[in-house]
Amino acid sequence: MAASPRQKPVFRFAPSPNGPLHLGHALSAILNHDMARAADGRFLLRIEDIDQARCTPEFEDGIYADLAWLGLGWEKPVRRQSEHFAEYQSALQSLIDRDLAYPSFLTRGEVRAFVSASEAGRKPWPRDPDGAPLYPACDRERTVADRRRMLESGLKHAWRLDIERALTTIPGRLDWTETGDGQTGQIAADPAAWGDVVLSRSDAPSSYHLSVVVDDALQGVTHVVRGLDLFHATSIHVLLQALLGLPAPLYHHHRLITDDAGRKLAKSEGDTGLAELRAKGISAADLRRRIGL
Ligand code: GLU
C-alpha cells in the first residue's frame, strides 16, 4: 500500500484591514512566510475583517501592496472572514445548544459604570490579561424566560461563553505547545482568567476569538505564528478548540517591535508604517535588517 502523502505544514498571516500595516506586521508576515518555506509548507494570508465598521477595502489593498513589496507570495484565493459569517454562526449555535453561551446586554459603558460602582471603597474588580474588567454575572444568571423576553424585545446583545460551565465539560488539563520568544514547551492554559469572553458581538455576527479558531481549523493551519501580545489569548483559543472538537495547532508567539518609548507599535505611525517606508525608497532587505531578521 502506498504511504499517504505527508501533510504539508500550514502557516498563516492574519491581519485586520483596519489601518495601515507597520513594522510589527512585517515581522509577523515575514516570519510566517520564512518558516513555511523552511518547513516546505504553505503560507496563507487571511483577512480578518469581521469589524465592518473599521475595516476598509483601501486598507485591504494596502495589505496586498505591502506584502508584495516585502517579496512574500501567498496562496490565493485569500480567505476573508466577512464572507464566512455563516460558519462562525454555526459554531456559536453549537455552543448555545449545549447551554455554554448566553446573550449579554450590557454596553461597554454600562460595564464600566457597574465596575466603578462596585469598586467604590471596596476591592478591585477582576481584570482579564489585557486589563479589561471581567463581564459581570448579571446576564449569565438570568432565567430562561427572562432571556427569551429580552431577546424577543429586540434588545442589542452579544453572545458570551459561560466560561465556568464550559470548563466543567473539559476533562483534564488544557495546554498548548509553544515554541516562541517567551515561555516555551507545554503551556498550561488559564481560560478562566478571561471571564465570559465574547463569541459574537452586538455589531458583528462573530468575534475575534471564535472566528480565529474556526478558520484555523477550516484552513488546516498547523502553525500559528503571531505576536506575544496574543500569547494569553491562546488560553481561550485552546478552550474553544476543545469545546468545538477542533484540532489544536502549534503556537509560536514572537517578540514585538516597540517604539522608542518601548511601547508596542499601534497602527502605523510615522516612520514605522510600511507604505511610508516604501515611499521613502527603503528596500525590503533594509527593512528585514531594521527588524532584526
Ligand atoms: N487579526 C489579528 C490581528 O491583526 C491577528 C490574529 C491572529 O494572528 O491570531 O492582530
Side-chain angles (χ1 to χ4, degrees):
M1 204 171 76
S4 63
R6 185 177 75 92
Q7 286 295 314
K8 287 194 171 218
V10 181
F11 292 74
R12 90 305 193 266
F13 174 55
S16 293
N18 56 9
L21 298 191
H22 56 58
L23 290 173
H25 296 107
L27 176 63
S28 235
I30 295 173
L31 282 177
N32 269 289
H33 173 270
D34 290 3
M35 288 169 80
R37 181 178 278 187
D40 186 26
R42 297 167 55 198
F43 172 59
L44 312 181
L45 170 63
R46 182 165 76 224
I47 300 294
E48 301 215 325
D49 60 348
I50 58 169
D51 188 340
Q52 298 276 279
R54 292 175 62 222
C55 295
T56 69
E58 291 73 28
F59 288 136
E60 187 176 327
D61 289 344
I63 291 173
Y64 303 136
D66 289 338
L67 297 185
W69 169 63
L70 290 173
L72 312 181
W74 59 92
E75 285 185 20
K76 314 226 172 31
V78 162
R79 184 176 174 91
R80 300 165 77 230
Q81 292 189 323
S82 58
E83 292 165 358
H84 297 278
F85 285 131
E87 281 139 281
Y88 314 133
Q89 277 292 310
S90 95
L92 171 64
Q93 193 58 49
S94 81
L95 298 172
I96 296 174
D97 292 345
R98 288 147 68 196
D99 212 8
L100 299 179
Y102 65 86
S104 69
F105 301 92
L106 296 187
T107 62
R108 253 186 233 176
E110 285 167 340
V111 172
R112 262 197 308 275
F114 175 92
V115 167
S116 36
S118 99
E119 280 182 332
R122 272 168 279 148
K123 61 179 184 19
W125 186 261
R127 301 286 200 276
D128 72 20
D130 284 347
L134 299 196
Y135 194 75
C138 49
D139 288 322
R140 188 196 327 131
E141 288 169 350
R142 286 184 198 288
T143 62
V144 175
D146 207 13
R147 259 178 214 170
R148 185 171 311 135
R149 184 187 51 75
M150 292 176 81
L151 286 175
E152 281 170 4
S153 74
L155 276 176
K156 265 185 97 151
H157 60 279
W159 285 87
R160 288 179 180 270
L161 184 67
D162 182 336
I163 196 103
E164 263 180 43
R165 192 191 286 263
L167 285 171
T168 63
T169 71
I170 304 290
R173 179 185 127 106
L174 272 175
D175 58 11
W176 78 87
T177 308
E178 174 68 48
T179 60
D181 296 332
Q183 288 177 70
T184 56
Q186 286 308 112
I187 309 292
D190 180 17
W194 290 93
D196 293 350
V197 289
V198 174
L199 298 171
S200 146
R201 299 161 39 150
S202 61
D203 60 353
S206 188
S207 70
Y208 161 63
H209 294 306
L210 184 64
S211 24
V212 86
V213 298
V214 168
D215 281 352
D216 285 340
L218 285 175
Q219 295 190 287
V221 170
T222 56
H223 293 69
V224 170
V225 177
R226 60 187 180 191
L228 271 167
D229 52 334
L230 290 169
F231 181 89
H232 292 293
T234 311
S235 285
I236 290 296
H237 300 170
V238 295
L239 171 60
L240 289 174
Q241 285 152 4
L243 293 171
L244 295 168
L246 304 175
L250 304 174
Y251 287 89
H252 181 102
H253 291 93
H254 61 73
R255 66 190 161 86
L256 299 176
I257 306 242
T258 50
D259 64 14
D260 295 340
R263 283 183 304 252
K264 172 189 163 228
L265 295 183
K267 286 290 168 191
S268 158
E269 278 155 15
D271 65 351
T272 66
L274 301 189
E276 282 94 328
L277 293 168
R278 189 164 77 238
K280 280 190 196 150
I282 305 240
S283 72
D286 290 339
L287 182 126
R288 278 184 180 251
R289 271 191 295 278
R290 177 151 170 199
I291 56 180
L293 291 174

